[in-house]
Amino acid sequence: MNKRWIVVWIGYGVLLGLLLTIPLFTDEAYVFHILCLIGINIIFACSLNTILNIGELNLAHAAFMGIGAYASTLLVMRFSFSFWLAMPLAMIAAAIISLAIGFLTLRFKGAYFLLFTFLFAELVRILLSNFWIGLFGGIPGLTNIPRPSIQIPWLFHMEFNSNKDFYYLILVMVVITVFVMRRMDQSRLGMVFRAISQSETLTESIGISSMKFKILGCAIGCLFAGLAGSLYAHFVRIITPADFSIHAVLTPIAYVVVGGMGSVFGPVIGTSFLMILSHFFLREFGLYELLLYGVIIVLIIRFMPEGLISLPRVIAPWFGKLSTRERE
Amino acid sequence: METTLLLQGGLNGVMLGLNYGLIALGLSLIFGIMGIVNFAHGEMYMLGGYVAYYLVGRFRINFLATMIAGVAIVGLLGALIEKILFRPLTTRPKEALTSLIAAVGLAWVLQMLAVICFGELDRNVPSAFKGIIHMGGVVITKERLAAIIIALVLVSVLTLFLMKTRIGMAIRAVAQDKEAAALQGIQVSRINSLAFGIGCALAGAAGVLMAPIFCVSPFLGGEVILKAFLVVILGGMGSIPGAMLGGLVLGFIESFGSLFFTVPTVNAITFVLIIIILIVRPQGLLGHE
């Protein structure tokens, strides 16, 4: 058991080493652009997974990412906050709004949360597109969002202007997110979430207030959605209401489901697999790109419903058969 | 002048509302029976529109025959999709979510297939019923009147089917309790296929009806699914009268709202109104707990 633990940590180390040394192999801005987007989507998919873990689907999750993005942008551009202060504030803003929604909706059973979040997602999009245009910028959104920089006087100065520099920032944030998710998954809190998603009645029967923990789970998820939004805004430098509409949450749901719901690394694998596939391989198919993408998702769900993370378990019996045949 | 304007708005509201109701009815039926949120439902509406474009527009076939063909084609396609894609998913853990994503993937596939097969341009479908009718100052085109009548007929037929026939009773039984229905000798998997087919057929019918009034394009589905969702939430999941009432409410809000306010304001008012209704009455206007 102890040895396995060491192997796993070596595995993490090698993976992290590879990710850190990517800049040695390539210099193309496009590659780093996609890598950064993959990182942001991994954070977003992980946060979505947190909410799926309590057995609910948040169709407004992209809207919470939008709240994070707009909050962070407005704090930096209109109120000249530093990015490093605006980012946590944006996360908190998303979490606080999700608390209010959680209080209103998680009291009810069934598809209620799903329906309510659907309405909320559309309401946010409509409000951002058509009202207070002076502040939110209307349908064209906000542009020229500054990239962050670190400045410690006389000692250190770094601007995240190029995609390559931003890649390191995103990498750090992804590692932090995955670390937090992993710790949470193994803690008592993670256990309570899993228990709730399996049977709410049973969980309540042993004295755990499932509503309280569901609201908490929802808020934690939205906290990281806010982080993803803030990073997205300062990376892409243009945000529009359409980026955070109901349709924007469907692709990340596919990432989570294709990777494997409920596990910590499922969303990471799913996001990386599908985004690399669509940005580096399917590009050449032009009109057929989206078609192939849809077909691949449908096929994976149809034949591997527990996601890519179950691949070793699906393949293992084949190798088992092979080895027994050899023995014979 | 004022009253004719209101009447005109009311008639348009009825037409819009009945068709939203038709689409939402299918969505609600599928959700009520299988627990699947069919995100590809808007694409079924879009396919109905293309059936109308090809049969009425290209081959000059009678509108009622086109209607029947549209219902049959989209309905069979729905039943087939249920059998191939969704049925294997229902026995697996977290089926609601996996089937939701399968439906999203399916919606993309259908949309892109439509772009490849039919082209991405908006298509106009010639009207089958030409001319207008004056009724005391209110003007209505014959095609809109036909849309209202046909939608009413479809809803009545469906209601009679569900309430009076044995198969309809079986469908309602499965919606109430799958296991108890199976114990009574009802083949749940067949009922699922049938219900999915009927649900899709309703969307297809609405697509055929609306094709001459609005345009047909491969991207219709995305807009339509949002409207249908609203109606289902408003009326109550799984309730037939709820879907129709919800459709009419949304139709009236849109039709009267656009007389007095700008479109974004109407949209915002609609959403705030529905959120308030949902907070006060979580099960929707006519839904059951």
Side-chain angles (χ1 to χ4, degrees), chain B residues 147-254:
Chain B
I148 291 175
I149 293 166
I150 294 175
L152 277 175
V153 169
L154 280 173
V155 173
S156 330
V157 168
L158 183 79
T159 314
L160 279 178
F161 170 73
L162 285 179
M163 292 299 159
K164 298 289 176 193
T165 62
R166 279 179 70 83
I167 302 175
M169 207 193 284
I171 291 180
R172 283 186 292 141
V174 173
Q176 255 180 28
D177 190 331
K178 247 173 221 164
E179 276 160 28
L183 282 175
Q184 296 297 317
I186 296 170
Q187 280 208 319
V188 175
S189 59
R190 260 194 211 169
I191 294 295
N192 281 347
S193 257
L194 183 69
F196 206 92
I198 293 176
C200 292
L202 285 170
V208 175
L209 278 181
M210 289 293 104
I213 299 170
F214 304 113
C215 288
V216 183
S217 97
F219 308 109
L220 278 180
E223 186 87 358
V224 167
I225 186 80
L226 297 187
K227 292 269 160 67
F229 238 137
L230 275 188
V231 170
V232 171
I233 293 170
L234 194 59
M237 273 281 178
S239 154
I240 300 178
M244 293 322 287
L245 180 69
L248 285 175
V249 170
L250 187 65
F252 280 126
I253 292 178
E254 286 193 351

Side-chain angles (χ1 to χ4, degrees), chain A residues 133-151:
Chain A
I133 289 173
L135 191 61
F136 295 135
I139 291 172
L142 298 167
T143 49
N144 282 328
I145 302 165
R147 285 273 174 96
S149 61
I150 300 180
Q151 206 160 10

